[in-house]
């Protein structure tokens, strides 16, 4: 485990590839794409990098105004997330689709999904499988110190909020569950709990969101960690 310094294995990491690009043509497209995003979104702070990624992931320049940061400063969740990546904290997603979108480059974190756990609890209580999955992993202590990511299920976000209220402390929360039922409310609840208990969090307001957005924002934390490793960013 490390804090702000580079680990001995840093040089062994496969270099982070922005937007997943690896070939020359793909890297040119990725660079051009982000250049265009930077024309639409400020590029001054670490929080701006999250806003930029949200715009790229959604294709909507207005989405930058929907992103919310919980912490002593807007950049705190980005710094906490990047440090957690450097420390090889687990990345825990709510569903398979979000897990599939997390880059495998630029980090050595275990990436796992919650769904598939807690089947007995779901059957006994009638709660959703995603909520039961979060509660089961929390019972195992998985979320403490982890990068907790919710991209699809509002009930997973609500369950995670309850876990935080009861003492669980993720390193950072990225929550963008999507939909017309409980989605906006679940993110609001997470923001309230994160603020009350000092848990850094990145969320958004409104009905929009989704797995691709959550994965993209998490990947930007990996990108920031990679830039810190190379000395381009000071955490």
């Amino acid at each position: 485990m490390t804090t702000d310094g580079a680990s001995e294995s840093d040089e062994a990491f496969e270099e982070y590839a922005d937007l997943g690009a690896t070939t020359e043509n793909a890297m040119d497209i990725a660079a051009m794409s982000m250049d265009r995003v930077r024309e639409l979104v400020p590029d001054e702070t670490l929080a701006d990098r999250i806003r930029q990624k949200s715009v790229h992931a959604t294709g909507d320049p207005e989405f930058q105004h929907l992103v919310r940061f919980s912490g002593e400063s807007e950049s705190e969740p980005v710094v906490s997330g990047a440090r957690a990546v450097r420390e090889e904290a687990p990345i825990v997603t709510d569903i398979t689709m979000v897990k599939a979108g997390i880059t495998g480059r630029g980090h050595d974190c275990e990436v796992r999904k919650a769904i598939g756990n807690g089947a007995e609890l779901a059957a006994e209580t009638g709660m959703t499988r995603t909520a039961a999955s979060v509660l089961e992993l929390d019972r195992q202590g998985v979320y403490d110190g982890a990068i907790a990511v919710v991209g699809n299920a509002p009930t997973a976000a609500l369950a995670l909020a309850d876990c935080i209220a009861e003492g669980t402390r993720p390193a950072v929360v990225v929550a963008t569950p999507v939909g017309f039922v409980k989605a906006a409310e679940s993110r609001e609840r997470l923001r309230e709990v994160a603020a009350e208990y000092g848990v850094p969090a990145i969320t958004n307001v409104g009905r929009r969101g989704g797995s691709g957005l959550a994965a993209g924002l998490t990947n930007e934390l990996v990108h920031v960690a990679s830039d810190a490793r190379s000395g381009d960013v000071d955490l």
Side-chain angles (χ1 to χ4, degrees):
M1 302 287 282
T2 64
T3 51
D4 294 354
S7 72
E8 294 180 358
S9 62
D10 276 350
E11 294 181 359
F13 286 131
E14 189 174 12
E15 184 179 358
Y16 178 84
D18 198 15
L19 311 185
T22 56
T23 67
E24 183 177 355
N25 188 28
M27 287 188 285
D28 287 344
I29 293 171
M32 184 180 300
S33 178
M34 290 309 300
D35 283 345
R36 292 184 177 178
V37 169
R38 293 185 187 101
E39 293 174 358
L40 302 169
V41 185
D43 189 28
E44 299 175 359
T45 68
L46 291 178
D48 286 337
R49 290 181 56 159
I50 295 295
R51 294 188 180 95
Q52 291 168 1
K53 190 63 69 171
S54 76
V55 168
H56 184 270
T58 61
D60 180 5
E62 295 305 311
F63 204 93
Q64 62 180 298
H65 305 299
L66 304 181
V67 181
R68 297 291 183 269
F69 302 90
S70 299
E72 293 184 2
S73 69
E74 285 191 337
S75 293
E76 182 184 0
V78 190
V79 172
S80 296
R83 286 177 174 170
V85 171
R86 299 287 303 279
E87 295 168 3
E88 301 177 10
I91 301 173
V92 187
T93 71
D94 55 336
I95 64 169
T96 306
M97 187 177 294
V98 184
K99 179 178 182 291
I102 303 298
T103 180
R105 300 165 68 96
H107 70 93
D108 198 23
C109 302
E110 177 191 9
V111 183
R112 61 184 300 184
K113 60 184 178 181
I115 194 70
N117 296 277
E120 292 184 4
L121 179 60
E124 290 172 0
T125 64
M127 69 174 61
T128 67
R129 291 186 305 137
T130 48
S133 297
V134 168
L135 295 177
E136 174 59 24
L137 289 190
D138 184 63
R139 185 188 66 81
Q140 299 173 22
V142 171
Y143 282 104
D144 275 313
I147 300 166
V149 186
V150 179
N152 179 266
T155 55
L158 289 168
L160 181 60
D162 289 343
C163 294
I164 292 171
E166 293 174 6
T168 299
R169 296 293 179 265
V172 66
V173 172
V174 177
T176 62
V178 62
F180 292 86
V181 179
K182 296 185 179 180
E185 294 85 351
S186 70
R187 287 184 257 106
E188 182 177 2
R189 166 70 173 150
L190 260 178
R191 284 191 293 275
E192 291 173 351
V193 170
E196 182 175 358
Y197 295 99
V199 174
I202 301 170
T203 61
N204 67 285
V205 297
R207 294 188 295 266
R208 289 182 289 175
S211 299
L213 176 61
L217 299 186
T218 305
N219 288 343
E220 189 58 26
L221 299 180
V222 175
H223 195 178
V224 173
S226 181
D227 284 348
R229 191 178 300 117
S230 63
D232 295 330
V233 168
D234 183 8
L235 297 180

